[in-house]
Amino acid sequence: MLGLEEEAQPLDDSAVLAKSLKVQTVVLTSRGLPERDALAIRKIRTSAPEVKILFLGMSEDEQEFFQYVRAGIHGCLLRDATAEDVLAAVRTVHAGGAVCPGALCLALFRYFEHETAVFPSANMSREMGLTRREQQLIPLIARGMTNKEIAG
């Protein structure tokens, strides 16, 4: 049901351990090396994609958080999490939910809000009936560019 990574267990073996024990949820603790932690997460997700990962001991650094989200975590808790917080988070992640501290959750929302503004979604094309090229032209027309300037 639940696999806990032991301190003595090397990060490189976490993926093998998760797959061989057929665990459903793994609790990883931060080693203070974000690149190495993210690599361990990716290895687990690659070798056992059905395993859910709860990452413990994060700082509130947004870039570090995004790195772990991209690597494939299902939940995370900050360094100051209580035992009750950890237990509740394990239960939530194991049940298919997600756990994220409020400040980092807000950062995730801001990130997607920014990405949406920068890259129009495919839905806009269907809603407005515009092709991708027509969507690219709208900002240029809005700047008052002529056909010749746009073509150039």
Side-chain angles (χ1 to χ4, degrees), residues 62 65-66 69 100 103-113:
E62 291 179 9
F65 169 65
F66 293 148
V69 169
C100 180
L104 294 176
C105 188
L106 180 60
L108 196 56
F109 287 142
R110 281 196 317 262
Y111 172 80
F112 279 104
E113 179 181 35

Side-chain angles (χ1 to χ4, degrees), residues 133 136-137 140-141 145-152:
R133 180 63 182 148
Q136 292 171 339
L137 295 175
L140 304 175
I141 295 167
M145 297 177 73
T146 67
N147 285 344
K148 188 173 185 177
E149 290 171 327
I150 293 172

Side-chain angles (χ1 to χ4, degrees), residues 13-105:
D13 294 337
S14 298
V16 174
L17 183 64
K19 188 171 185 167
S20 66
L21 294 177
K22 302 212 185 286
V23 296
Q24 296 172 351
T25 303
V26 173
V27 177
L28 289 177
T29 56
S30 175
R31 307 295 174 150
L33 302 167
E35 291 79 23
R36 190 164 178 211
D37 291 338
L39 179 62
I41 294 164
R42 279 192 294 280
K43 284 183 177 185
I44 292 170
R45 297 290 295 151
T46 300
S47 68
E50 70 285 354
V51 172
K52 297 172 183 81
I53 302 170
L54 175 63
F55 190 76
L56 301 179
M58 285 194 54
S59 69
E60 289 192 51
D61 181 85
E62 291 179 9
Q63 295 309 314
E64 183 180 325
F65 169 65
F66 293 148
Q67 185 176 10
Y68 298 142
V69 169
R70 285 185 197 101
I73 62 172
H74 295 86
C76 65
L77 290 174
L78 299 176
R79 292 184 177 125
D80 61 352
T82 66
E84 291 82 18
D85 293 338
V86 174
L87 185 56
V90 167
R91 287 180 175 148
T92 299
V93 168
H94 181 72
V99 176
C100 180
L104 294 176
C105 188

